[in-house]
PDB file of all heavy atoms in Angstrom:
ATOM      1  N   ALA A 234      -8.256  16.022  -6.452  1.00  0.00           N
ATOM      2  CA  ALA A 234      -8.100  15.968  -4.996  1.00  0.00           C
ATOM      3  C   ALA A 234      -8.601  14.622  -4.417  1.00  0.00           C
ATOM      4  O   ALA A 234      -9.345  14.588  -3.476  1.00  0.00           O
ATOM      5  CB  ALA A 234      -8.883  17.114  -4.384  1.00  0.00           C
ATOM      6  N   LYS A 235      -8.129  13.545  -5.033  1.00  0.00           N
ATOM      7  CA  LYS A 235      -8.431  12.216  -4.572  1.00  0.00           C
ATOM      8  C   LYS A 235      -7.176  11.448  -4.297  1.00  0.00           C
ATOM      9  O   LYS A 235      -6.188  11.584  -5.032  1.00  0.00           O
ATOM     10  CB  LYS A 235      -9.249  11.451  -5.634  1.00  0.00           C
ATOM     11  CG  LYS A 235     -10.540  12.117  -6.104  1.00  0.00           C
ATOM     12  CD  LYS A 235     -11.556  12.180  -4.987  1.00  0.00           C
ATOM     13  CE  LYS A 235     -12.919  12.559  -5.547  1.00  0.00           C
ATOM     14  NZ  LYS A 235     -12.927  13.916  -6.167  1.00  0.00           N
ATOM     15  N   CYS A 236      -7.200  10.590  -3.285  1.00  0.00           N
ATOM     16  CA  CYS A 236      -6.278   9.496  -3.207  1.00  0.00           C
ATOM     17  C   CYS A 236      -6.838   8.302  -3.870  1.00  0.00           C
ATOM     18  O   CYS A 236      -7.917   7.797  -3.492  1.00  0.00           O
ATOM     19  CB  CYS A 236      -5.891   9.169  -1.751  1.00  0.00           C
ATOM     20  SG  CYS A 236      -4.667   7.882  -1.580  1.00  0.00           S
ATOM     21  N   MET A 237      -6.178   7.798  -4.897  1.00  0.00           N
ATOM     22  CA  MET A 237      -6.541   6.650  -5.640  1.00  0.00           C
ATOM     23  C   MET A 237      -5.550   5.537  -5.320  1.00  0.00           C
ATOM     24  O   MET A 237      -4.296   5.796  -5.259  1.00  0.00           O
ATOM     25  CB  MET A 237      -6.609   6.857  -7.113  1.00  0.00           C
ATOM     26  CG  MET A 237      -7.584   7.966  -7.560  1.00  0.00           C
ATOM     27  SD  MET A 237      -9.300   7.584  -7.213  1.00  0.00           S
ATOM     28  CE  MET A 237      -9.497   6.080  -8.219  1.00  0.00           C
ATOM     29  N   ALA A 238      -6.022   4.334  -5.103  1.00  0.00           N
ATOM     30  CA  ALA A 238      -5.103   3.243  -4.649  1.00  0.00           C
ATOM     31  C   ALA A 238      -5.545   1.930  -5.234  1.00  0.00           C
ATOM     32  O   ALA A 238      -6.717   1.731  -5.633  1.00  0.00           O
ATOM     33  CB  ALA A 238      -5.102   3.187  -3.115  1.00  0.00           C
ATOM     34  N   TRP A 239      -4.579   1.007  -5.301  1.00  0.00           N
ATOM     35  CA  TRP A 239      -4.842  -0.376  -5.614  1.00  0.00           C
ATOM     36  C   TRP A 239      -4.493  -1.239  -4.427  1.00  0.00           C
ATOM     37  O   TRP A 239      -3.387  -1.085  -3.838  1.00  0.00           O
ATOM     38  CB  TRP A 239      -4.008  -0.819  -6.817  1.00  0.00           C
ATOM     39  CG  TRP A 239      -4.493  -0.254  -8.133  1.00  0.00           C
ATOM     40  CD1 TRP A 239      -4.025   0.864  -8.748  1.00  0.00           C
ATOM     41  CD2 TRP A 239      -5.545  -0.812  -8.959  1.00  0.00           C
ATOM     42  NE1 TRP A 239      -4.724   1.034  -9.908  1.00  0.00           N
ATOM     43  CE2 TRP A 239      -5.623   0.062 -10.097  1.00  0.00           C
ATOM     44  CE3 TRP A 239      -6.345  -1.937  -8.878  1.00  0.00           C
ATOM     45  CZ2 TRP A 239      -6.551  -0.192 -11.132  1.00  0.00           C
ATOM     46  CZ3 TRP A 239      -7.256  -2.134  -9.896  1.00  0.00           C
ATOM     47  CH2 TRP A 239      -7.344  -1.294 -11.002  1.00  0.00           C
ATOM     48  N   PHE A 240      -5.372  -2.147  -4.048  1.00  0.00           N
ATOM     49  CA  PHE A 240      -5.149  -3.111  -3.021  1.00  0.00           C
ATOM     50  C   PHE A 240      -5.210  -4.500  -3.663  1.00  0.00           C
ATOM     51  O   PHE A 240      -5.761  -4.669  -4.780  1.00  0.00           O
ATOM     52  CB  PHE A 240      -6.176  -3.002  -1.911  1.00  0.00           C
ATOM     53  CG  PHE A 240      -6.035  -1.837  -0.967  1.00  0.00           C
ATOM     54  CD1 PHE A 240      -6.300  -0.554  -1.380  1.00  0.00           C
ATOM     55  CD2 PHE A 240      -5.608  -2.078   0.329  1.00  0.00           C
ATOM     56  CE1 PHE A 240      -6.123   0.485  -0.519  1.00  0.00           C
ATOM     57  CE2 PHE A 240      -5.475  -0.996   1.201  1.00  0.00           C
ATOM     58  CZ  PHE A 240      -5.759   0.284   0.795  1.00  0.00           C
ATOM     59  N   ARG A 241      -4.728  -5.499  -2.985  1.00  0.00           N
ATOM     60  CA  ARG A 241      -4.894  -6.897  -3.412  1.00  0.00           C
ATOM     61  C   ARG A 241      -5.126  -7.775  -2.235  1.00  0.00           C
ATOM     62  O   ARG A 241      -4.665  -7.490  -1.097  1.00  0.00           O
ATOM     63  CB  ARG A 241      -3.708  -7.365  -4.244  1.00  0.00           C
ATOM     64  CG  ARG A 241      -2.411  -7.447  -3.488  1.00  0.00           C
ATOM     65  CD  ARG A 241      -1.281  -7.796  -4.449  1.00  0.00           C
ATOM     66  NE  ARG A 241      -0.010  -7.907  -3.755  1.00  0.00           N
ATOM     67  CZ  ARG A 241       1.149  -8.078  -4.366  1.00  0.00           C
ATOM     68  NH1 ARG A 241       1.203  -8.152  -5.682  1.00  0.00           N
ATOM     69  NH2 ARG A 241       2.260  -8.188  -3.651  1.00  0.00           N
ATOM     70  N   GLN A 242      -5.819  -8.875  -2.453  1.00  0.00           N
ATOM     71  CA  GLN A 242      -6.064  -9.875  -1.387  1.00  0.00           C
ATOM     72  C   GLN A 242      -5.896 -11.250  -1.977  1.00  0.00           C
ATOM     73  O   GLN A 242      -6.598 -11.668  -2.853  1.00  0.00           O
ATOM     74  CB  GLN A 242      -7.455  -9.693  -0.794  1.00  0.00           C
ATOM     75  CG  GLN A 242      -7.676 -10.552   0.433  1.00  0.00           C
ATOM     76  CD  GLN A 242      -8.871 -10.078   1.251  1.00  0.00           C
ATOM     77  OE1 GLN A 242      -9.760  -9.357   0.781  1.00  0.00           O
ATOM     78  NE2 GLN A 242      -8.887 -10.458   2.516  1.00  0.00           N
ATOM     79  N   ALA A 243      -4.894 -11.929  -1.421  1.00  0.00           N
ATOM     80  CA  ALA A 243      -4.675 -13.332  -1.811  1.00  0.00           C
ATOM     81  C   ALA A 243      -5.437 -14.264  -0.871  1.00  0.00           C
ATOM     82  O   ALA A 243      -5.753 -13.863   0.245  1.00  0.00           O
ATOM     83  CB  ALA A 243      -3.169 -13.650  -1.746  1.00  0.00           C
ATOM     84  N   PRO A 244      -5.694 -15.519  -1.273  1.00  0.00           N
ATOM     85  CA  PRO A 244      -6.398 -16.472  -0.398  1.00  0.00           C
ATOM     86  C   PRO A 244      -5.719 -16.603   0.972  1.00  0.00           C
ATOM     87  O   PRO A 244      -4.496 -16.822   0.994  1.00  0.00           O
ATOM     88  CB  PRO A 244      -6.385 -17.745  -1.204  1.00  0.00           C
ATOM     89  CG  PRO A 244      -6.283 -17.327  -2.610  1.00  0.00           C
ATOM     90  CD  PRO A 244      -5.373 -16.108  -2.588  1.00  0.00           C
ATOM     91  N   GLY A 245      -6.505 -16.456   2.030  1.00  0.00           N
ATOM     92  CA  GLY A 245      -5.984 -16.651   3.379  1.00  0.00           C
ATOM     93  C   GLY A 245      -5.187 -15.471   3.891  1.00  0.00           C
ATOM     94  O   GLY A 245      -4.631 -15.589   5.030  1.00  0.00           O
ATOM     95  N   LYS A 246      -5.080 -14.344   3.177  1.00  0.00           N
ATOM     96  CA  LYS A 246      -4.269 -13.217   3.596  1.00  0.00           C
ATOM     97  C   LYS A 246      -5.140 -12.011   3.719  1.00  0.00           C
ATOM     98  O   LYS A 246      -6.211 -11.926   3.150  1.00  0.00           O
ATOM     99  CB  LYS A 246      -3.162 -12.974   2.632  1.00  0.00           C
ATOM    100  CG  LYS A 246      -2.074 -14.095   2.575  1.00  0.00           C
ATOM    101  CD  LYS A 246      -0.931 -13.737   1.694  1.00  0.00           C
ATOM    102  CE  LYS A 246       0.116 -14.819   1.677  1.00  0.00           C
ATOM    103  NZ  LYS A 246       1.257 -14.432   0.826  1.00  0.00           N
ATOM    104  N   GLU A 247      -4.656 -11.035   4.485  1.00  0.00           N
ATOM    105  CA  GLU A 247      -5.363  -9.748   4.612  1.00  0.00           C
ATOM    106  C   GLU A 247      -5.166  -8.908   3.335  1.00  0.00           C
ATOM    107  O   GLU A 247      -4.254  -9.062   2.599  1.00  0.00           O
ATOM    108  CB  GLU A 247      -4.818  -8.949   5.809  1.00  0.00           C
ATOM    109  CG  GLU A 247      -5.055  -9.622   7.146  1.00  0.00           C
ATOM    110  CD  GLU A 247      -4.554  -8.816   8.315  1.00  0.00           C
ATOM    111  OE1 GLU A 247      -3.976  -7.718   8.053  1.00  0.00           O
ATOM    112  OE2 GLU A 247      -4.778  -9.223   9.445  1.00  0.00           O
ATOM    113  N   ARG A 248      -6.129  -7.976   3.151  1.00  0.00           N
ATOM    114  CA  ARG A 248      -6.109  -7.075   2.014  1.00  0.00           C
ATOM    115  C   ARG A 248      -4.888  -6.131   2.177  1.00  0.00           C
ATOM    116  O   ARG A 248      -4.692  -5.533   3.269  1.00  0.00           O
ATOM    117  CB  ARG A 248      -7.385  -6.309   1.866  1.00  0.00           C
ATOM    118  CG  ARG A 248      -7.489  -5.574   0.542  1.00  0.00           C
ATOM    119  CD  ARG A 248      -8.903  -5.046   0.364  1.00  0.00           C
ATOM    120  NE  ARG A 248      -9.896  -6.146   0.250  1.00  0.00           N
ATOM    121  CZ  ARG A 248     -11.125  -5.987  -0.074  1.00  0.00           C
ATOM    122  NH1 ARG A 248     -11.599  -4.769  -0.375  1.00  0.00           N
ATOM    123  NH2 ARG A 248     -11.956  -7.039  -0.156  1.00  0.00           N
ATOM    124  N   GLU A 249      -4.051  -6.061   1.168  1.00  0.00           N
ATOM    125  CA  GLU A 249      -2.766  -5.360   1.211  1.00  0.00           C
ATOM    126  C   GLU A 249      -2.751  -4.173   0.268  1.00  0.00           C
ATOM    127  O   GLU A 249      -3.113  -4.298  -0.886  1.00  0.00           O
ATOM    128  CB  GLU A 249      -1.647  -6.316   0.823  1.00  0.00           C
ATOM    129  CG  GLU A 249      -0.296  -5.689   0.696  1.00  0.00           C
ATOM    130  CD  GLU A 249       0.728  -6.602   0.028  1.00  0.00           C
ATOM    131  OE1 GLU A 249       0.305  -7.448  -0.842  1.00  0.00           O
ATOM    132  OE2 GLU A 249       1.906  -6.542   0.419  1.00  0.00           O
ATOM    133  N   GLY A 250      -2.340  -2.980   0.744  1.00  0.00           N
ATOM    134  CA  GLY A 250      -2.127  -1.844  -0.135  1.00  0.00           C
ATOM    135  C   GLY A 250      -0.974  -2.022  -1.056  1.00  0.00           C
ATOM    136  O   GLY A 250       0.120  -2.378  -0.570  1.00  0.00           O
ATOM    137  N   VAL A 251      -1.156  -1.850  -2.342  1.00  0.00           N
ATOM    138  CA  VAL A 251      -0.122  -2.105  -3.334  1.00  0.00           C
ATOM    139  C   VAL A 251       0.479  -0.799  -3.878  1.00  0.00           C
ATOM    140  O   VAL A 251       1.727  -0.697  -3.947  1.00  0.00           O
ATOM    141  CB  VAL A 251      -0.721  -2.913  -4.496  1.00  0.00           C
ATOM    142  CG1 VAL A 251       0.336  -3.108  -5.621  1.00  0.00           C
ATOM    143  CG2 VAL A 251      -1.168  -4.263  -3.991  1.00  0.00           C
ATOM    144  N   ALA A 252      -0.369   0.136  -4.224  1.00  0.00           N
ATOM    145  CA  ALA A 252       0.094   1.359  -4.883  1.00  0.00           C
ATOM    146  C   ALA A 252      -0.909   2.455  -4.645  1.00  0.00           C
ATOM    147  O   ALA A 252      -2.123   2.237  -4.510  1.00  0.00           O
ATOM    148  CB  ALA A 252       0.362   1.180  -6.368  1.00  0.00           C
ATOM    149  N   SER A 253      -0.452   3.717  -4.640  1.00  0.00           N
ATOM    150  CA  SER A 253      -1.340   4.852  -4.465  1.00  0.00           C
ATOM    151  C   SER A 253      -0.815   6.046  -5.263  1.00  0.00           C
ATOM    152  O   SER A 253       0.420   6.123  -5.526  1.00  0.00           O
ATOM    153  CB  SER A 253      -1.536   5.253  -3.002  1.00  0.00           C
ATOM    154  OG  SER A 253      -0.349   5.730  -2.413  1.00  0.00           O
ATOM    155  N   ILE A 254      -1.742   6.907  -5.605  1.00  0.00           N
ATOM    156  CA  ILE A 254      -1.331   8.196  -6.298  1.00  0.00           C
ATOM    157  C   ILE A 254      -2.299   9.297  -5.846  1.00  0.00           C
ATOM    158  O   ILE A 254      -3.528   9.079  -5.708  1.00  0.00           O
ATOM    159  CB  ILE A 254      -1.347   8.027  -7.814  1.00  0.00           C
ATOM    160  CG1 ILE A 254      -0.826   9.259  -8.482  1.00  0.00           C
ATOM    161  CG2 ILE A 254      -2.749   7.664  -8.343  1.00  0.00           C
ATOM    162  CD1 ILE A 254      -0.492   9.047 -10.007  1.00  0.00           C
ATOM    163  N   TYR A 255      -1.757  10.425  -5.463  1.00  0.00           N
ATOM    164  CA  TYR A 255      -2.631  11.582  -5.159  1.00  0.00           C
ATOM    165  C   TYR A 255      -2.791  12.370  -6.459  1.00  0.00           C
ATOM    166  O   TYR A 255      -1.874  12.767  -7.120  1.00  0.00           O
ATOM    167  CB  TYR A 255      -1.987  12.506  -4.098  1.00  0.00           C
ATOM    168  CG  TYR A 255      -2.976  13.561  -3.693  1.00  0.00           C
ATOM    169  CD1 TYR A 255      -4.131  13.199  -3.030  1.00  0.00           C
ATOM    170  CD2 TYR A 255      -2.743  14.887  -4.000  1.00  0.00           C
ATOM    171  CE1 TYR A 255      -5.073  14.156  -2.680  1.00  0.00           C
ATOM    172  CE2 TYR A 255      -3.673  15.866  -3.646  1.00  0.00           C
ATOM    173  CZ  TYR A 255      -4.849  15.479  -2.985  1.00  0.00           C
ATOM    174  OH  TYR A 255      -5.750  16.442  -2.654  1.00  0.00           O
ATOM    175  N   THR A 256      -4.081  12.527  -6.845  1.00  0.00           N
ATOM    176  CA  THR A 256      -4.406  12.907  -8.231  1.00  0.00           C
ATOM    177  C   THR A 256      -4.051  14.391  -8.585  1.00  0.00           C
ATOM    178  O   THR A 256      -3.987  14.694  -9.750  1.00  0.00           O
ATOM    179  CB  THR A 256      -5.878  12.659  -8.507  1.00  0.00           C
ATOM    180  OG1 THR A 256      -6.680  13.390  -7.571  1.00  0.00           O
ATOM    181  CG2 THR A 256      -6.188  11.183  -8.414  1.00  0.00           C
ATOM    182  N   THR A 257      -3.867  15.224  -7.581  1.00  0.00           N
ATOM    183  CA  THR A 257      -3.577  16.625  -7.824  1.00  0.00           C
ATOM    184  C   THR A 257      -2.061  16.939  -7.664  1.00  0.00           C
ATOM    185  O   THR A 257      -1.665  18.106  -7.681  1.00  0.00           O
ATOM    186  CB  THR A 257      -4.421  17.539  -6.960  1.00  0.00           C
ATOM    187  OG1 THR A 257      -5.750  17.033  -6.927  1.00  0.00           O
ATOM    188  CG2 THR A 257      -4.436  18.979  -7.461  1.00  0.00           C
ATOM    189  N   GLY A 258      -1.257  15.919  -7.469  1.00  0.00           N
ATOM    190  CA  GLY A 258       0.162  16.078  -7.368  1.00  0.00           C
ATOM    191  C   GLY A 258       0.765  15.176  -6.312  1.00  0.00           C
ATOM    192  O   GLY A 258       0.026  14.570  -5.519  1.00  0.00           O
ATOM    193  N   GLY A 259       2.067  15.048  -6.360  1.00  0.00           N
ATOM    194  CA  GLY A 259       2.773  14.148  -5.443  1.00  0.00           C
ATOM    195  C   GLY A 259       3.214  12.920  -6.158  1.00  0.00           C
ATOM    196  O   GLY A 259       2.712  12.514  -7.179  1.00  0.00           O
ATOM    197  N   SER A 260       4.207  12.271  -5.570  1.00  0.00           N
ATOM    198  CA  SER A 260       4.809  11.062  -6.128  1.00  0.00           C
ATOM    199  C   SER A 260       3.946   9.845  -5.831  1.00  0.00           C
ATOM    200  O   SER A 260       3.440   9.702  -4.702  1.00  0.00           O
ATOM    201  CB  SER A 260       6.214  10.846  -5.614  1.00  0.00           C
ATOM    202  OG  SER A 260       7.051  11.944  -5.992  1.00  0.00           O
ATOM    203  N   PRO A 261       3.820   8.930  -6.795  1.00  0.00           N
ATOM    204  CA  PRO A 261       3.199   7.644  -6.525  1.00  0.00           C
ATOM    205  C   PRO A 261       3.992   6.896  -5.462  1.00  0.00           C
ATOM    206  O   PRO A 261       5.206   7.048  -5.307  1.00  0.00           O
ATOM    207  CB  PRO A 261       3.217   6.928  -7.836  1.00  0.00           C
ATOM    208  CG  PRO A 261       3.361   7.985  -8.883  1.00  0.00           C
ATOM    209  CD  PRO A 261       4.196   9.053  -8.229  1.00  0.00           C
ATOM    210  N   SER A 262       3.262   6.018  -4.708  1.00  0.00           N
ATOM    211  CA  SER A 262       3.886   5.207  -3.676  1.00  0.00           C
ATOM    212  C   SER A 262       3.566   3.758  -3.898  1.00  0.00           C
ATOM    213  O   SER A 262       2.488   3.445  -4.387  1.00  0.00           O
ATOM    214  CB  SER A 262       3.387   5.692  -2.326  1.00  0.00           C
ATOM    215  OG  SER A 262       4.036   4.997  -1.295  1.00  0.00           O
ATOM    216  N   TYR A 263       4.517   2.836  -3.535  1.00  0.00           N
ATOM    217  CA  TYR A 263       4.382   1.440  -3.748  1.00  0.00           C
ATOM    218  C   TYR A 263       4.852   0.635  -2.550  1.00  0.00           C
ATOM    219  O   TYR A 263       5.771   1.054  -1.878  1.00  0.00           O
ATOM    220  CB  TYR A 263       5.165   0.987  -4.966  1.00  0.00           C
ATOM    221  CG  TYR A 263       4.892   1.753  -6.238  1.00  0.00           C
ATOM    222  CD1 TYR A 263       5.599   2.909  -6.593  1.00  0.00           C
ATOM    223  CD2 TYR A 263       3.867   1.340  -7.078  1.00  0.00           C
ATOM    224  CE1 TYR A 263       5.298   3.600  -7.733  1.00  0.00           C
ATOM    225  CE2 TYR A 263       3.568   2.002  -8.241  1.00  0.00           C
ATOM    226  CZ  TYR A 263       4.296   3.177  -8.601  1.00  0.00           C
ATOM    227  OH  TYR A 263       4.004   3.855  -9.725  1.00  0.00           O
ATOM    228  N   VAL A 264       4.158  -0.477  -2.348  1.00  0.00           N
ATOM    229  CA  VAL A 264       4.710  -1.440  -1.376  1.00  0.00           C
ATOM    230  C   VAL A 264       6.021  -2.026  -1.881  1.00  0.00           C
ATOM    231  O   VAL A 264       6.192  -2.162  -3.122  1.00  0.00           O
ATOM    232  CB  VAL A 264       3.630  -2.523  -1.108  1.00  0.00           C
ATOM    233  CG1 VAL A 264       3.458  -3.435  -2.292  1.00  0.00           C
ATOM    234  CG2 VAL A 264       4.018  -3.311   0.168  1.00  0.00           C
ATOM    235  N   ASP A 265       6.953  -2.364  -1.004  1.00  0.00           N
ATOM    236  CA  ASP A 265       8.288  -2.741  -1.383  1.00  0.00           C
ATOM    237  C   ASP A 265       8.287  -3.967  -2.388  1.00  0.00           C
ATOM    238  O   ASP A 265       9.108  -4.005  -3.291  1.00  0.00           O
ATOM    239  CB  ASP A 265       9.123  -3.138  -0.168  1.00  0.00           C
ATOM    240  CG  ASP A 265       9.540  -1.932   0.618  1.00  0.00           C
ATOM    241  OD1 ASP A 265       9.503  -0.826   0.117  1.00  0.00           O
ATOM    242  OD2 ASP A 265      10.032  -2.129   1.768  1.00  0.00           O
ATOM    243  N   SER A 266       7.335  -4.835  -2.218  1.00  0.00           N
ATOM    244  CA  SER A 266       7.362  -6.062  -2.999  1.00  0.00           C
ATOM    245  C   SER A 266       7.067  -5.851  -4.523  1.00  0.00           C
ATOM    246  O   SER A 266       7.319  -6.687  -5.301  1.00  0.00           O
ATOM    247  CB  SER A 266       6.341  -7.097  -2.462  1.00  0.00           C
ATOM    248  OG  SER A 266       5.069  -6.559  -2.455  1.00  0.00           O
ATOM    249  N   VAL A 267       6.522  -4.661  -4.877  1.00  0.00           N
ATOM    250  CA  VAL A 267       6.217  -4.391  -6.282  1.00  0.00           C
ATOM    251  C   VAL A 267       7.030  -3.252  -6.857  1.00  0.00           C
ATOM    252  O   VAL A 267       6.894  -2.947  -8.030  1.00  0.00           O
ATOM    253  CB  VAL A 267       4.694  -4.091  -6.470  1.00  0.00           C
ATOM    254  CG1 VAL A 267       3.870  -5.182  -5.834  1.00  0.00           C
ATOM    255  CG2 VAL A 267       4.306  -2.726  -5.956  1.00  0.00           C
ATOM    256  N   LYS A 268       7.885  -2.617  -6.072  1.00  0.00           N
ATOM    257  CA  LYS A 268       8.684  -1.511  -6.590  1.00  0.00           C
ATOM    258  C   LYS A 268       9.568  -1.965  -7.700  1.00  0.00           C
ATOM    259  O   LYS A 268      10.210  -2.969  -7.699  1.00  0.00           O
ATOM    260  CB  LYS A 268       9.555  -0.924  -5.441  1.00  0.00           C
ATOM    261  CG  LYS A 268       8.765  -0.106  -4.453  1.00  0.00           C
ATOM    262  CD  LYS A 268       9.694   0.430  -3.360  1.00  0.00           C
ATOM    263  CE  LYS A 268       8.890   1.315  -2.370  1.00  0.00           C
ATOM    264  NZ  LYS A 268       9.757   1.813  -1.271  1.00  0.00           N
ATOM    265  N   GLY A 269       9.561  -1.135  -8.764  1.00  0.00           N
ATOM    266  CA  GLY A 269      10.312  -1.446  -9.989  1.00  0.00           C
ATOM    267  C   GLY A 269       9.585  -2.337 -10.964  1.00  0.00           C
ATOM    268  O   GLY A 269      10.025  -2.495 -12.099  1.00  0.00           O
ATOM    269  N   ARG A 270       8.452  -2.889 -10.566  1.00  0.00           N
ATOM    270  CA  ARG A 270       7.665  -3.785 -11.427  1.00  0.00           C
ATOM    271  C   ARG A 270       6.282  -3.189 -11.783  1.00  0.00           C
ATOM    272  O   ARG A 270       5.773  -3.436 -12.865  1.00  0.00           O
ATOM    273  CB  ARG A 270       7.481  -5.146 -10.780  1.00  0.00           C
ATOM    274  CG  ARG A 270       8.806  -5.872 -10.502  1.00  0.00           C
ATOM    275  CD  ARG A 270       8.575  -7.303 -10.062  1.00  0.00           C
ATOM    276  NE  ARG A 270       7.794  -7.391  -8.813  1.00  0.00           N
ATOM    277  CZ  ARG A 270       6.635  -7.977  -8.688  1.00  0.00           C
ATOM    278  NH1 ARG A 270       6.069  -8.566  -9.763  1.00  0.00           N
ATOM    279  NH2 ARG A 270       5.985  -8.042  -7.518  1.00  0.00           N
TER     280      ARG A 270
END
């Protein structure tokens, strides 16, 4: 029952959500720039 996520922060930019998964079910979600990779 956790939302687990990865964020990233490049120099000079805001922290960006990259991917998430709900641990008890549901589909993973991705920011458009990393989908398929």
